[in-house]
């Protein structure tokens, strides 16, 4: 069997048998010395004539696999490693791992054999298990004796192990002998796409989902409502939907593809600002100032009908996006960017005092709006986030305590430093617009982010500008998201966007998986990315 397996691996001129637990292959110089010492010098045992010399191979210690993101730990061993070959099997120790097993079998040209306890040469085995309390996204991958075992506490961890194996094979043809122990530094690793300002095809989005899965991202933010368009089919309010949009059937397919790759799609219907497309169909809800002039993108939050409309949409799309997260928006409400909101928008000031009492401000009313929308989404069992400039300084009404701060900028009105939120105990996500914002057309002094700057300078603790917050806050930073915003939608084609974000996505994946200084130089990292595809 060993000789046949060597032939299958294409190892020329050398014979090997399964290595022992120490990783030393049978037939190596050390194993030969043990065998000779056991027979030489034993009285009464005649030594057989020496056969013709048999070729042997002593393998050097393996080196760590090169993957994106890099694995956090690899214990080397001696042996030929593992490579896929026709007829080799993927077997699972749990029927619940069928999706992971079928996917990697198809990718590597293996046979999916399903649930099985027998052991064959060349097997790839996927199994659930691990230490109680271990990171659920961690995994262990063992390459030994011509076989591979990927084990993890959860399906997601098993999936990430298969991504590592896929990259090993793609990059070098062989998974190196030894044991990989790996886990992410941050539990939320995201990519956000603005499809409201620019229409992206369902096929293009599906390609990005596959790319994200291979890079071990686990969230895909979908910003589908803004001033320019509302881009997903609606049954409750079809009048607001743009001509070019995703159908619910297309969205369900995207959500299912993402779930197969352990990615949660996180929807965002931004309010009370950025609602221009919705208001175009509902001009009666448009916010107007004291002179009667319309305020771009802003809904009149003093009107009950405004809340009813948004809650209709939130309840409708909760059924389309079953994942555990939701983005409420909350940024850039134009009523709060004027010098005297109460004078400019007396109807908002009156509604604030009517609801919250004398002295209540327009900021209180806006915070109450966000809290009310959070209550709607919370009823569906979601964890919610909102943009940092939706948390207003000086408001007597406090944002709901379970709102996660999506920190993107320090430039906007009302924006506070990250430390103000962290010191108050808030959890945060990093959307730093200096490193992680790919804004089409580069308006408002934005420049296209480079993978190199992310790779060499950014970490999840760099929430604003270029300065990291103190290490003591690290656990409160849940992760982050690289984002594509389509302010000048025709500046790039879909293909140009995909090419432009390719290396920034890989650099962000590396730093969310392991925030430490990478081992590879940027040139080496780029070369690896090109080799892996």
């Amino acid at each position: 069997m060993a000789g046949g397996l060597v032939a299958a691996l294409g190892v020329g001129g050398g014979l090997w048998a399964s290595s022992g637990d120490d990783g030393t292959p049978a037939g190596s110089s050390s194993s030969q010395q043990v065998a000779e010492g056991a027979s030489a010098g034993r009285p009464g045992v005649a030594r057989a004539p020496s056969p013709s010399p048999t070729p042997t191979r002593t393998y050097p210690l393996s080196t760590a696999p090169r993957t994106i993101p890099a694995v956090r730990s690899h214990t080397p061993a001696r042996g030929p490693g593992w490579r896929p070959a026709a007829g080799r099997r993927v077997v699972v120790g749990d029927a619940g791992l069928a999706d992971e097993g079928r996917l990697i079998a198809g990718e590597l040209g293996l046979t999916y054999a399903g649930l099985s306890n027998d052991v064959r040469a060349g097997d790839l085995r996927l199994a659930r298990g691990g230490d109680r309390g271990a990171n659920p996204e961690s995994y262990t991958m063992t390459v030994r004796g011509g076989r591979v075992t990927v084990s993890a506490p959860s399906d997601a961890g098993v999936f990430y192990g298969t991504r590592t194996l896929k990259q090993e094979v793609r990059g070098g043809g062989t998974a190196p002998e030894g044991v990989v122990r790996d886990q992410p530094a941050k539990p939320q690793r995201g990519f956000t796409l603005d499809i409201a300002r620019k229409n992206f095809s369902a096929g293009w989005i599906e390609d990005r989902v596959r790319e994200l899965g291979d890079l071990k991202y686990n969230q895909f933010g979908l910003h589908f409502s803004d001033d320019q368009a509302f881009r997903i089919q609606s049954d409750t309010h079809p009048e607001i939907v743009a001509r070019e949009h995703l159908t619910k059937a297309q969205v369900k397919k995207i959500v299912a593809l993402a779930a197969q790759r352990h990615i949660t799609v996180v929807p965002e219907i931004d309010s009370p600002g950025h609602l221009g497309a919705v208001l175009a169909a509902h001009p009666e809800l448009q916010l107007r100032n004291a002179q009667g002039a319309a305020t771009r993108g802003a809904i009149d939050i003093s009107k009950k009908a405004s809340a009813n409309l948004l809650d209709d949409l939130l309840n409708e799309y909760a059924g389309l996006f079953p994942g555990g997260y939701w983005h409420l928006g909350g940024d850039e409400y134009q009523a709060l960017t004027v010098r005297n909101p109460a004078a400019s928008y007396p109807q908002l000031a009156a509604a604030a005092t009517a609801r919250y009492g004398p002295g209540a401000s327009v900021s209180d009313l806006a915070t109450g709006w966000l809290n009310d929308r959070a209550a709607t989404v919370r009823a569906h069992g979601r964890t919610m986030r909102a943009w940092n400039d939706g948390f207003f300084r000086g408001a007597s009404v406090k944002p709901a305590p379970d709102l996660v701060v999506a920190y993107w900028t320090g430039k906007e009105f009302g924006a506070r430093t990250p430390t103000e939120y962290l010191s108050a105990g808030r959890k945060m996500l990093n959307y730093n617009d200096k490193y992680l914002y790919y804004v089409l057309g580069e308006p408002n002094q934005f420049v296209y982010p480079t993978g190199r700057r992310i790779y060499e300078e950014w970490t999840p603790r760099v929430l604003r500008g270029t300065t990291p917050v103190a290490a003591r806050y690290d656990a409160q930073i849940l992760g982050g998201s690289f984002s594509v915003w389509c302010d000048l939608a025709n500046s790039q084609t879909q293909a140009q966007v995909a090419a432009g974000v390719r290396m920034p996505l890989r650099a962000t994946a590396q730093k969310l998986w392991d925030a430490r200084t990478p081992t590879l130089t940027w040139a080496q990292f780029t070369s690896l990315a090109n080799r892996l595809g």
Side-chain angles (χ1 to χ4, degrees), residues 129-155:
D131 297 334
R132 179 175 295 181
N135 184 324
E137 293 186 303
S138 65
Y139 68 90
T140 300
M141 182 170 68
T142 304
V143 180
R144 180 182 295 145
R147 293 181 291 275
V148 182
T149 299
V150 176
S151 62
S154 71
D155 297 9

Side-chain angles (χ1 to χ4, degrees), residues 52-142:
S52 299
T54 301
T56 61
R57 170 173 293 179
T58 299
Y59 294 97
L61 278 175
S62 61
T63 58
R66 292 287 179 91
T67 61
I68 298 175
V71 301
R72 294 173 69 93
S73 169
H74 176 255
T75 302
R78 300 183 189 278
W82 178 93
R83 66 174 60 197
R88 290 191 165 179
R89 308 183 308 165
V90 177
V91 296
V92 297
D94 186 316
L97 297 173
D99 286 347
E100 291 73 20
R102 289 192 177 98
L103 179 62
I104 191 65
E107 291 168 331
L108 298 186
L110 306 172
T111 298
Y112 178 67
L115 192 65
S116 177
N117 290 320
D118 69 321
V119 176
R120 297 185 190 175
D123 276 354
L124 165 57
R125 176 172 292 277
L126 309 181
R128 276 195 287 218
D131 297 334
R132 179 175 295 181
N135 184 324
E137 293 186 303
S138 65
Y139 68 90
T140 300
M141 182 170 68
T142 304

Side-chain angles (χ1 to χ4, degrees), residues 125-267:
R125 176 172 292 277
L126 309 181
R128 276 195 287 218
D131 297 334
R132 179 175 295 181
N135 184 324
E137 293 186 303
S138 65
Y139 68 90
T140 300
M141 182 170 68
T142 304
V143 180
R144 180 182 295 145
R147 293 181 291 275
V148 182
T149 299
V150 176
S151 62
S154 71
D155 297 9
V158 170
F159 173 73
Y160 297 138
T162 68
R163 299 307 87 193
T164 295
L165 181 64
K166 177 184 176 182
Q167 288 193 27
E168 288 177 335
V169 170
R170 180 177 289 177
T174 302
E177 202 87 3
V179 181
V180 167
R181 292 180 176 86
D182 201 12
Q183 66 180 37
K186 292 299 179 184
Q188 298 188 38
R189 306 175 301 281
F191 169 63
T192 298
L193 179 66
D194 169 15
I195 67 171
R197 297 179 178 92
K198 182 179 181 67
N199 184 55
F200 289 87
S201 71
W204 189 93
I205 294 171
E206 289 169 7
D207 286 344
R208 299 289 74 70
V209 169
R210 295 184 184 95
E211 181 179 18
L212 295 173
D214 281 354
L215 295 171
K216 302 185 176 83
Y217 282 90
N218 62 5
Q219 292 185 7
F220 175 36
L222 205 56
H223 178 92
F224 62 91
S225 169
D226 213 301
D227 294 340
Q228 292 76 5
F230 190 100
R231 297 241 189 234
I232 295 180
Q233 172 189 347
S234 173
D235 300 322
T236 62
H237 290 282
E239 72 280 359
I240 69 176
V241 179
R243 181 179 60 84
E244 290 184 310
H245 65 272
L246 296 174
T247 66
K248 286 190 173 180
Q250 288 173 319
V251 173
K252 288 177 181 177
K253 185 179 177 184
I254 291 166
V255 169
L257 179 68
Q260 185 189 42
R261 284 156 171 78
H262 298 276
I263 296 170
T264 299
V265 180
V266 183

Side-chain angles (χ1 to χ4, degrees), residues 280-321:
H282 289 274
E284 73 281 4
L285 302 180
Q286 175 80 54
L287 179 65
R288 296 181 180 277
N289 65 15
Q291 289 72 46
T295 302
R296 184 173 185 265
I299 200 166
D300 190 336
I301 59 177
S302 70
K303 295 182 176 181
K304 177 64 176 173
S306 296
N308 291 342
L309 173 59
L310 262 295
D311 287 346
D312 284 347
L313 297 172
L314 295 174
N315 286 321
E316 176 180 0
Y317 291 104
L320 187 61
F321 297 100

Side-chain angles (χ1 to χ4, degrees), residues 311-346:
D311 287 346
D312 284 347
L313 297 172
L314 295 174
N315 286 321
E316 176 180 0
Y317 291 104
L320 187 61
F321 297 100
Y325 301 98
W326 197 283
H327 202 316
L328 293 169
D331 64 316
E332 298 182 319
Y333 189 49
Q334 297 301 310
L336 292 170
T337 63
V338 298
R339 180 171 298 178
N340 188 337
S344 296
Y345 301 97

Side-chain angles (χ1 to χ4, degrees), residues 4-21:
L5 186 54
V6 170
L9 283 169
V11 177
L15 299 177
W16 63 280
S18 298
S19 61
D21 289 341

